[in-house]
Amino acid sequence: MATMESLIGLVNKIQRACTVLGDYGGEGMSLWEALPSVAVVGGQSSGKSSVLESVVGRDFLPRGSGIVTRRPLVLQLHKTENGSQEYAEFLHAPRKKFTDFAAVRKEISDETDRITGQTKQISNIPIQLSIYSPNVVNLTLIDLPGLTKVAVEGQPETIVEDIENMVRSYVEKPNCIILAISPANQDIATSDAIKLGREVDPTGERTFGVLTKLDLMDKGTNAVDVLEGRSYRLQHPWVGIVNRSQADINKNVDMLAARRKEREYFETSPEYGHLAHKMGSEYLAKLLSQHLELVIRQRIPSIIALINKTIDELNAELDRIGRPIAVDSGAQLYTILEMCRAFDRVFKEHLDGGRPGGDRIYGVFDHQLPAALKKLPFERHLSLKNVQRIVSEADGYQPHLIAPEQGYRRLIDGSIGYFKGPAEASVDAVHLVLKELVRKSIAETEELKRFPTLQSDIAAAANESLERFREESKKTVTRLVEMESSYLTVEFFRKIHFEQERGQDRDREKDKDKDRDRERERDRDRDSYSYRYEKQMYDRHDKQSSSNVDRYSDHYLKRIGSNVIAYIGMVCDTLKNTIPKAVVYCQVREAKRSLLSNFYTQLGKREKEKLGAMLDEDPALMERRETIAKRLELYKSARDEIDQVAWK
Ligand SMILES: Nc1nc2c(ncn2[C@@H]2O[C@H](COP(=O)(O)OP(=O)(O)OP(=O)(O)O)[C@@H](O)[C@H]2O)c(=O)[nH]1
């Protein structure tokens, strides 16, 4: 019985492991998949049910002469807590607990009749019986209808084949251990059990030869040749058995008494005395236990592999969804700061390269700003008419004598005002890029994924900062533009004055130099406002054929306009360079330096509850993590259980 004990321990551990694995369905491995089943196979009345009972150690199967087992009986033994009451339950009557095993026997018999009628018919619909007991191992035993050679009165012709096919469907499963029962009072060469065993298990590794009814052999004959493996060789040793006779059953001889009788039989037998220690039901039970243990142990590596694989998967998933968060406020603050830093890292990567987005800021400076500047309506503002109007207005009642100082100022002031638009537009464009980068960075910060509340807190704080930077940046670029109005570059006008003198000389030399003049202009930046402006003025002038009657000649006004345009072109070039500097200084640099600094200040002042609230997770995620953590624990304990078994 020591072997049975260790088998119970082993199977229990695997049971616990498999319950864990099986509990979650799908990939889980059920206990019954991990464990082998044992089927008894043999001719009619060969003693199958008797042998099965001996292995289980209980009387509960109907027995008798003639065909008794007419439906497969799938018997699942479930080990229960020590001290708990033994009971049986049928699948066809789930809520009914049988504690009286005589009643179990009767129910098997009645249930057989329910399907087959009280005839000699058989059915392949199994009866499922579970026995819950502290004294059994978790195991499936299958009692099968006896194989027969001919159909008897009341049976269909196909019965021989039908039974064989049914039995085969059970024993051909590689997980099935075959107890091949042959009665000693028949020639072993005609044994149906051996024949089928050889067919489904040619190497004989899962077939056990059992010889029953040794006591019923003819006087003067014995089965020593069979038992010693000479008649038919099997990998496992043959076991001889003496079950209760029909007379014993009728007299209600109990199992203990039957065992004693069997032991005495072998010990006192002149033929089998030398084999006594390897004979009998108890020895068969022991042999079977040992084999089961071996087979079950062979399954351990694959069970452990499955457990390890699942543990790895669970750990990976936990890593993905994040480990649980701490409860004390210090640790929470730390977690929040860590996450802010992670976000900050991603954000900076976007700006500095490594991640896309920062280049769009350069796009604003390189493309958007110059394009906007080019579109400014200077040509309209400095049209001949406008120049004349503004210069005249600035002069007032007294026309200027040498140069229209006030006129220039007004023309320039009015023009410079136009730069505010593109300057502010650059600020706004960069603001939008930064805002988008904040949004992107939050989405891309792995660590933040599980904390929707913190995500929106960080987003709000970052956007608030960006808004502040934008205000500051707008003030600065406006100032840059205003600075251009507040003090004009003197050198420019001195140079103009000088050039104009020269120009007047040339005028005197008149149009013969006109071509040369144009050539000089062409040499200048063709893209500049002054070039385009002057060209337009020339063209217009040619068409208008100088019918002007105003204070100043068209030529003179055109000069003023083109001077202003040239000056504005210079201012434009300056602003094209300084606006980006201001924008980067006020917005980009600040975003990199102090996007979350206000947030940090606020964080320091928050109470514990508020910190906890910031770390609120998606409830579904929390639940998932809990489930995974629990499963992980179970799997680890299952692995421990099995490890203990494996190293024994
Ligand atoms: N004397 C003696 N009788 C036995 C032995 N084994 C079985 N019997 C008797 O043989 C009869 C059939 O035994 P079962 O255990 O019902 O045989 P079975 O193979 O399950 O029979 P079916 O289910 O009908 O095929 C019963 O009356 C048993 O008492 C044995 O070793 N010695």
Side-chain angles (χ1 to χ4, degrees):
M1 275 288 101
T3 329
M4 195 54 111
E5 287 301 310
S6 91
L7 186 59
I8 289 174
L10 171 66
V11 173
N12 282 343
K13 291 206 164 86
I14 292 179
Q15 156 95 71
R16 281 197 287 268
C18 287
T19 310
V20 172
L21 301 176
D23 263 358
Y24 294 95
E27 280 173 45
M29 187 185 269
S30 85
L31 175 68
W32 307 109
E33 259 173 78
L35 297 182
S37 59
V38 178
V40 278
V41 183
Q44 266 171 31
S45 288
S46 57
K48 298 181 296 300
S49 306
S50 304
V51 169
L52 199 55
E53 275 188 339
S54 299
V55 171
V56 179
R58 297 289 311 205
D59 303 292
F60 62 94
L61 294 174
R63 267 151 324 157
S65 40
I67 178 165
V68 179
T69 311
R70 285 179 288 125
R71 287 174 63 182
L73 176 75
V74 176
L75 179 64
Q76 288 196 335
L77 305 180
H78 302 262
K79 156 87 177 152
T80 54
E81 301 268 324
N82 281 333
S84 53
Q85 210 203 356
E86 209 169 30
Y87 68 93
E89 216 172 61
F90 287 94
L91 189 68
H92 63 259
R95 258 174 281 283
K96 201 163 162 198
K97 285 187 180 173
F98 291 78
T99 47
D100 174 9
F101 279 77
V104 173
R105 179 180 304 156
K106 184 168 183 309
E107 180 60 29
I108 294 174
S109 189
D110 292 351
E111 175 58 20
T112 303
D113 292 347
R114 244 168 251 147
I115 295 283
T116 59
Q118 282 180 325
T119 59
K120 293 183 172 119
Q121 304 269 14
I122 62 149
S123 160
N124 56 9
I125 303 169
I127 298 175
Q128 303 253 10
L129 172 63
S130 288
I131 293 181
Y132 298 85
S133 163
N135 311 316
V136 297
V137 286
N138 291 297
L139 200 62
T140 305
L141 299 170
I142 304 159
D143 194 11
L144 291 164
L147 298 159
T148 113
K149 298 230 178 344
V150 284
V152 296
E153 188 59 42
Q155 289 182 331
E157 274 308 310
T158 56
I159 190 149
V160 177
E161 221 180 294
D162 291 347
I163 295 178
E164 198 180 305
N165 289 339
M166 181 209 300
V167 172
R168 185 183 292 108
S169 72
Y170 285 89
V171 295
E172 70 190 357
K173 297 202 175 86
N175 225 14
C176 181
I177 292 165
I178 305 166
L179 287 188
I181 317 286
S182 313
N185 54 357
Q186 271 171 35
D187 189 353
I188 197 72
T190 65
S191 165
D192 298 310
I194 291 299
K195 188 172 146 253
L196 192 65
R198 188 165 41 190
E199 183 195 315
V200 297
D201 175 33
T203 58
E205 53 196 327
R206 52 190 183 92
T207 305
F208 284 82
V210 180
L211 207 58
T212 56
K213 302 192 181 180
L214 285 171
D215 59 318
L216 294 184
M217 287 184 78
D218 288 342
K219 283 248 156 23
T221 62
N222 68 59
V224 174
D225 275 356
V226 177
L227 292 177
E228 289 187 338
R230 279 190 294 279
S231 302
Y232 186 79
R233 214 178 155 68
L234 282 171
Q235 279 207 16
H236 301 284
W238 280 85
V239 180
I241 295 267
V242 176
N243 284 318
R244 280 166 288 184
S245 65
Q246 191 58 45
D248 291 338
I249 290 164
N250 294 347
K251 277 189 277 172
N252 274 329
V253 171
D254 72 17
M255 185 156 288
L256 287 176
R259 290 244 166 107
R260 195 165 357 100
K261 232 175 129 185
E262 185 188 31
R263 230 177 6 248
E264 277 166 21
Y265 175 85
F266 285 111
E267 277 163 7
T268 58
S269 154
E271 295 103 332
Y272 311 118
H274 67 291
L275 294 171
H277 62 290
K278 286 164 127 189
M279 294 291 132
S281 312
E282 280 175 81
Y283 182 74
L284 176 64
K286 199 169 119 192
L287 200 64
L288 198 57
S289 295
Q290 276 171 353
H291 181 71
L292 282 170
E293 186 162 342
L294 188 79
V295 172
I296 293 167
R297 276 186 192 283
Q298 282 169 356
R299 304 281 298 169
I300 289 177
S302 68
I303 297 176
I304 289 191
L306 179 70
I307 293 179
N308 282 339
K309 186 174 145 258
T310 317
I311 288 180
D312 287 349
E313 283 167 3
L314 291 175
N315 270 326
E317 193 173 353
L318 263 193
D319 281 341
R320 201 169 50 71
I321 66 175
R323 303 281 172 172
I325 357 154
V327 278
D328 72 292
S329 54
Q332 286 181 337
L333 186 60
Y334 180 80
T335 308
I336 294 173
L337 290 176
E338 279 282 274
M339 233 113 41
C340 291
R341 268 192 286 276
F343 157 76
D344 225 35
R345 249 193 323 273
V346 176
F347 181 70
K348 280 188 188 132
E349 276 172 30
H350 274 297
L351 285 179
D352 296 337
R355 289 176 197 254
D359 51 315
R360 280 170 49 205
I361 293 176
Y362 177 66
V364 171
F365 302 150
D366 184 48
H367 189 74
Q368 203 168 319
L369 176 63
L373 290 173
K374 204 177 266 178
K375 273 198 212 119
L376 289 179
F378 292 127
E379 279 160 21
R380 188 156 37 79
H381 183 66
L382 296 172
S383 67
L384 215 52
K385 248 174 89 191
N386 241 12
V387 170
Q388 184 186 39
R389 183 177 57 76
I390 291 169
V391 167
S392 304
E393 276 173 18
D395 280 351
Y397 73 94
Q398 165 75 71
H400 63 267
L401 302 180
I402 298 170
E405 182 82 11
Q406 282 310 313
Y408 267 120
R409 278 201 162 275
R410 286 201 189 179
L411 285 168
I412 289 171
D413 268 358
S415 302
I416 287 179
Y418 285 111
F419 286 120
K420 278 188 184 166
E424 288 186 346
S426 300
V427 170
D428 289 336
V430 169
H431 176 77
L432 283 183
V433 173
L434 291 172
K435 228 175 137 176
E436 170 64 10
L437 290 185
V438 164
R439 195 192 62 72
K440 260 182 149 168
S441 304
I442 284 178
E444 286 167 19
T445 305
E446 251 349 277
E447 295 89 330
L448 267 176
K449 286 236 158 70
R450 48 196 278 226
F451 300 114
T453 311
L454 187 58
Q455 272 183 29
S456 58
D457 285 351
I458 291 182
N463 286 335
E464 207 184 282
S465 298
L466 289 182
E467 212 59 61
R468 237 182 24 252
F469 304 153
R470 160 155 77 173
E471 285 313 305
E472 200 49 45
S473 188
K474 264 200 186 150
K475 270 189 217 150
T476 308
V477 295
T478 310
R479 232 173 242 161
L480 279 182
V481 173
E482 283 168 355
M483 274 154 63
E484 291 295 339
S485 295
S486 65
Y487 187 72
L488 306 185
T489 309
V490 184
E491 285 73 23
F492 179 87
F493 289 96
R494 292 207 177 123
K495 222 162 63 198
I496 285 180
H497 183 69
F498 171 72
E499 276 180 14
Q500 254 165 15
E501 302 265 272
R502 261 182 27 200
Q504 274 161 16
D505 288 346
R506 266 200 306 279
D507 280 348
R508 263 173 244 121
E509 282 172 54
K510 273 252 165 148
D511 295 329
K512 59 177 174 180
D513 286 337
K514 205 172 174 182
D515 290 342
R516 223 179 349 133
D517 208 20
R518 284 193 178 170
E519 218 171 298
R520 181 179 62 86
E521 277 153 5
R522 263 199 298 275
D523 286 345
R524 280 157 56 176
D525 181 10
R526 277 158 191 277
D527 209 27
S528 79
Y529 289 109
S530 49
Y531 172 78
R532 276 188 283 142
Y533 178 82
E534 276 185 38
K535 186 174 180 305
Q536 197 181 19
M537 291 303 152
Y538 271 121
D539 296 348
R540 202 173 292 164
H541 186 67
D542 290 348
K543 272 183 235 145
Q544 283 173 349
S545 65
S546 65
S547 64
N548 230 309
V549 286
D550 293 305
R551 263 193 275 195
Y552 310 111
S553 73
D554 281 3
H555 191 255
Y556 180 68
L557 290 172
K558 186 203 71 188
R559 271 268 156 246
I560 294 174
S562 80
N563 285 341
V564 171
I565 273 287
Y567 187 80
I568 292 299
M570 188 189 72
V571 171
C572 183
D573 286 344
T574 307
L575 287 177
K576 210 189 280 177
N577 291 324
T578 51
I579 288 172
K581 289 178 205 281
V583 167
V584 168
Y585 183 86
C586 297
Q587 289 173 277
V588 181
R589 189 189 65 132
E590 280 307 302
K592 274 170 69 178
R593 269 171 31 150
S594 60
L595 192 59
L596 293 179
S597 58
N598 273 10
F599 187 57
Y600 292 149
T601 321
Q602 288 163 23
L603 273 182
K605 295 183 203 137
R606 293 234 172 132
E607 312 97 58
K608 184 176 165 15
E609 294 75 54
K610 281 218 175 131
L611 289 179
M614 293 174 88
L615 290 173
D616 262 359
E617 287 185 276
D618 182 357
L621 202 76
M622 281 157 82
E623 210 170 287
R624 179 94 190 108
R625 178 186 308 106
E626 240 165 72
T627 329
I628 295 177
K630 263 194 212 133
R631 276 182 72 174
L632 203 57
E633 275 316 300
L634 284 169
Y635 274 69
K636 281 181 181 161
S637 70
R639 185 167 61 183
D640 290 345
E641 296 272 0
I642 303 234
D643 275 349
Q644 285 175 21
V645 171
W647 293 107
K648 234 180 187 165

